[in-house]
């Protein structure tokens, strides 16, 4: 049977969740294996049964476990069952350091989604979205380094909205949440991209011209600056 540490935190259900999730993600609890019964978990964690139930429910919602009524709660293979909401938990390793493989994966996902969204935006953007992109170019040109990240996020939000693809829009949200545990570090690495005003202008010009492939190429070139800078840190 797995040994858990008694919980002594204010949010006991959160603490139970954290311990079980950590053991699933580091492989201590293997896919297909069964968790101990609620009563046993309650005793192991030294908490009430409600706290255990709340933690298990959250694990089930993330698809880290599968609750089977009348049967044991089983560990899921998170690579097969989970979605992008799990990425923030994978971003940092157990010792609190960034996992470079997950960082690389997140940056590659970001580049692929944004470049394709830019191509679709060139074909589908409305006059309102084009006007907003031009307005943001002006703000980027006048922004301080501290303001660049939020403006650049808005810039890509408009492009994702202009693509007409809600999946891309939500996926960009997921990418940002993924690196939130080390947001200051990532934003610092992306300054070279955020401050590339000619790159942003070239992308907007391609979108305004309705040239999907030129927009994809411009987005790829712009995003590669950030990806290369971040990768160089590791």
């Amino acid at each position: 049977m797995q040994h858990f540490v008694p919980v002594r935190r204010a949010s006991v259900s959160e603490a139970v969740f954290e311990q079980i999730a950590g053991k699933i993600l580091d492989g201590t609890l293997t896919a297909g294996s069964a968790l101990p019964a609620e009563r046993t978990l309650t005793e192991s964690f030294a908490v009430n049964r409600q706290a255990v139930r709340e933690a298990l429910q959250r694990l089930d919602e993330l698809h880290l476990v599968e609750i089977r009524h009348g049967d044991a709660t089983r560990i899921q293979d998170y690579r097969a069952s989970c979605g992008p909401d799990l990425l923030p938990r994978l971003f940092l390793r157990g010792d609190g350091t960034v996992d470079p493989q997950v960082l690389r994966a997140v940056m590659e996902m970001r580049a692929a989604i944004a470049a394709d969204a830019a191509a679709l935006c060139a074909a589908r953007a409305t006059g309102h979205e084009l006007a907003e992109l031009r307005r943001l170019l002006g703000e980027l040109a006048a922004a301080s380094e501290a303001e660049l990240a939020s403006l650049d996020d808005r810039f890509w939000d408009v492009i994702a909205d202009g693509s007409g693809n809600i999946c891309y829009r939500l996926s960009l949200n997921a990418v940002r949440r993924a690196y939130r545990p080390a947001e200051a570090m990532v934003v610092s690495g992306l300054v070279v991209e955020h401050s590339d005003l000619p790159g942003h202008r070239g992308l907007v010009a391609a979108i305004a011209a309705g040239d999907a492939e030129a927009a994809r190429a411009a987005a790829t070139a712009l995003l590669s600056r950030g990806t290369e800078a971040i990768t160089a840190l590791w």
Side-chain angles (χ1 to χ4, degrees), residues 10-231:
S11 178
V12 291
S13 64
E14 174 70 14
V16 172
F17 168 84
E18 290 290 342
Q19 282 199 50
I20 297 176
K23 289 181 181 293
I24 293 172
L25 296 178
D26 71 12
T28 302
L29 293 170
T30 58
S33 64
L35 277 175
E38 278 187 12
R39 180 175 179 179
T40 303
L41 289 173
T42 297
E43 294 171 353
S44 297
F45 287 114
V47 299
N48 60 52
R49 184 166 288 189
Q50 183 60 30
V52 169
R53 287 178 176 172
E54 289 175 3
L56 292 179
Q57 184 62 41
R58 186 175 170 194
L59 290 162
D60 183 70
E61 289 170 355
L62 278 176
H63 305 292
L64 287 171
V65 305
E66 182 182 8
I67 296 175
R68 301 175 178 179
H69 297 289
D71 196 0
T73 295
R74 297 203 172 269
I75 308 302
Q76 297 265 60
D77 179 353
Y78 70 86
R79 291 176 178 82
S81 63
C82 295
D85 285 347
L86 189 64
L87 285 171
R89 297 199 58 83
L90 296 175
F91 202 82
L92 295 182
R93 295 179 291 203
D95 61 3
T97 60
V98 172
D99 186 319
Q101 291 186 334
V102 176
L103 173 61
R104 181 186 65 187
V106 168
M107 298 307 294
E108 289 173 348
M109 178 181 174
R110 171 180 176 267
I113 292 169
D116 204 46
L120 290 175
C121 185
R124 300 172 179 172
T126 65
H128 170 75
E129 286 152 350
L130 288 172
E132 182 67 5
L133 287 173
R134 292 187 177 110
R135 185 188 66 78
L136 286 166
L137 283 179
E139 292 196 21
L140 283 165
S144 66
E145 186 173 305
E147 297 170 322
L148 287 173
S150 60
L151 285 172
D152 192 73
D153 281 351
R154 179 57 186 152
F155 180 85
W156 287 105
D157 286 345
V158 175
I159 288 176
D161 289 340
S163 76
N165 188 311
I166 187 61
C167 292
Y168 285 165
R169 183 68 161 84
L170 298 180
S171 294
L172 282 178
N173 295 341
V175 166
R176 291 172 190 150
R177 283 195 297 271
Y179 62 68
R180 192 167 294 161
E183 187 171 16
M185 176 276 298
V186 173
V187 168
S188 176
L190 290 175
V191 165
V192 66
E193 175 192 314
H194 294 164
S195 60
D196 183 358
L197 193 59
H200 285 79
R201 284 174 174 158
L203 174 53
V204 173
I207 291 172
D211 190 333
E213 290 313 306
R216 186 191 304 277
T220 299
L222 179 59
L223 293 159
S224 68
R225 300 202 66 190
T227 300
E228 290 168 4
I230 292 292
T231 303

